Amino acid sequence: MADSTSRVISQPECGGDAKSENVSPSFTEIIVIRHGETEWNADGRIQGHLDVELNDIGRQQATAVAARLSKEPRISVIYSSDLKRAHETAEIIARSCGDLEVIKDPDLRERHLGDLQGISLREAAKSQPLAYKAFLSDRNDQVIPGGGESLDQLYQRCTSCLQRIAKNHRGKRVVVVSHGGAIRALHMRASPHSRSKSKIWNTSVGILHLSDKDEWTVKLWADVSHLNKTEFLNSGFGGDKTSG
């Protein structure tokens, strides 16, 4: 599933200062954000492509990350999954960053989880045993019954989307708001020989550099320092293997 041409130049898992005033014309800096919390995150319910909006905690998380990103210099544009939880997060960020344009792209959606969508993970083994078994499979080409995607399909969709965004904004700083499973697929493309050990918390921040030679570099990953002074750090479900 990982692209054999990937090279990792730098790969801190989280923390550190990856911000600079200018972006080199040879790459695109993409700030990757997971959406804020939803009631289904809080309840441990599987969302996938189902369109669930942010809860109050999620909106406060989005406000916190928006305040952080408002200090980032020269953000050009914001891309977002077209699902409400991501798009609302993106709109909150956009308002804090000078009313930036938000472009919705369905290729930034979460993995489609088929018959598991709408039920809690704890009840999935009994209510949807075939889909649950497929979800736990080690095979990257295993689709989930009920129209679900394989990990390979998720990887291809998300990484191709990010490559398009990078090509269209070379030398720019761009924000992308997406979902836990999709963001983990992006990390796999950037670092194919080292899986992320960090949970992708709601509104966590990652920074990727995509070069004009199609090299992906992880500069920052799974950072939630903007939430450290709030009560909202450990509340969300998903962002790990439960996101597919």
Side-chain angles (χ1 to χ4, degrees):
M1 183 162 64
D3 192 320
S4 61
T5 64
S6 299
R7 291 201 300 125
V8 180
I9 300 171
S10 173
Q11 192 200 342
E13 276 292 316
C14 62
D17 184 4
K19 181 171 68 175
S20 60
E21 184 72 23
N22 298 307
V23 176
S24 165
S26 65
F27 65 82
T28 308
E29 181 170 286
I30 300 183
I31 304 172
V32 182
I33 312 291
R34 186 186 174 203
H35 62 81
E37 186 185 282
T38 69
E39 284 302 320
W40 284 26
N41 286 146
D43 292 342
R45 194 166 296 276
I46 298 169
Q47 295 174 120
H49 280 201
L50 297 184
D51 208 4
V52 185
E53 64 183 20
L54 298 180
N55 62 14
D56 288 341
I57 287 177
R59 294 184 185 96
Q60 291 178 70
Q61 291 171 331
T63 299
V65 77
R68 171 180 178 166
L69 294 180
S70 71
K71 300 177 177 66
E72 291 282 346
R74 300 180 183 174
I75 294 173
S76 299
V77 67
I78 299 174
Y79 283 81
S80 171
S81 157
D82 62 338
L83 296 176
K84 290 176 184 176
R85 57 193 185 271
H87 187 249
E88 185 177 358
T89 302
E91 288 287 356
I92 291 171
I93 294 169
R95 289 194 293 271
S96 290
C97 295
D99 291 319
L100 289 172
E101 180 183 11
V102 177
I103 300 172
K104 292 193 285 187
D105 192 326
D107 282 343
L108 293 170
R109 284 187 177 194
E110 180 60 281
R111 181 185 181 186
H112 194 304
L113 292 167
D115 289 335
L116 296 179
Q117 296 184 162
I119 63 176
S120 69
L121 188 64
R122 58 184 173 271
E123 68 188 34
K126 289 184 178 181
S127 63
Q128 295 291 342
L130 293 179
Y132 185 69
K133 181 179 179 181
F135 178 70
L136 296 180
S137 172
D138 292 332
R139 289 176 47 192
N140 290 332
D141 62 350
Q142 175 66 63
V143 298
I144 298 178
E149 291 177 289
S150 68
L151 288 171
D152 282 342
Q153 289 170 330
L154 172 69
Y155 177 92
Q156 182 60 39
R157 168 167 62 81
C158 296
T159 59
S160 296
C161 180
L162 213 69
Q163 286 172 316
R164 289 196 306 272
I165 292 170
K167 183 178 180 180
N168 290 336
H169 299 281
R170 194 70 74 207
K172 304 294 185 181
R173 181 173 286 112
V174 178
V175 170
V176 168
V177 183
S178 189
H179 306 262
I183 292 170
R184 294 180 74 82
L186 299 179
H187 186 279
M188 185 173 292
R189 171 63 176 82
S191 184
H193 305 298
S194 177
R195 291 203 175 199
S196 172
K197 298 179 178 64
S198 299
K199 179 181 173 72
I200 310 300
W201 299 104
N202 292 111
T203 70
S204 65
V205 176
I207 298 179
L208 298 173
H209 286 180
L210 275 64
S211 79
D212 53 11
K213 297 180 180 179
D214 199 28
E215 295 171 349
W216 292 40
T217 306
V218 180
K219 305 299 289 185
L220 183 75
W221 200 250
D223 185 78
V224 285
S225 56
H226 55 284
L227 299 181
N228 284 345
K229 295 181 180 179
T230 76
E231 60 185 289
F232 310 131
L233 178 57
N234 297 322
S235 52
F237 167 81
D240 50 18
K241 64 181 180 180
T242 59
S243 293

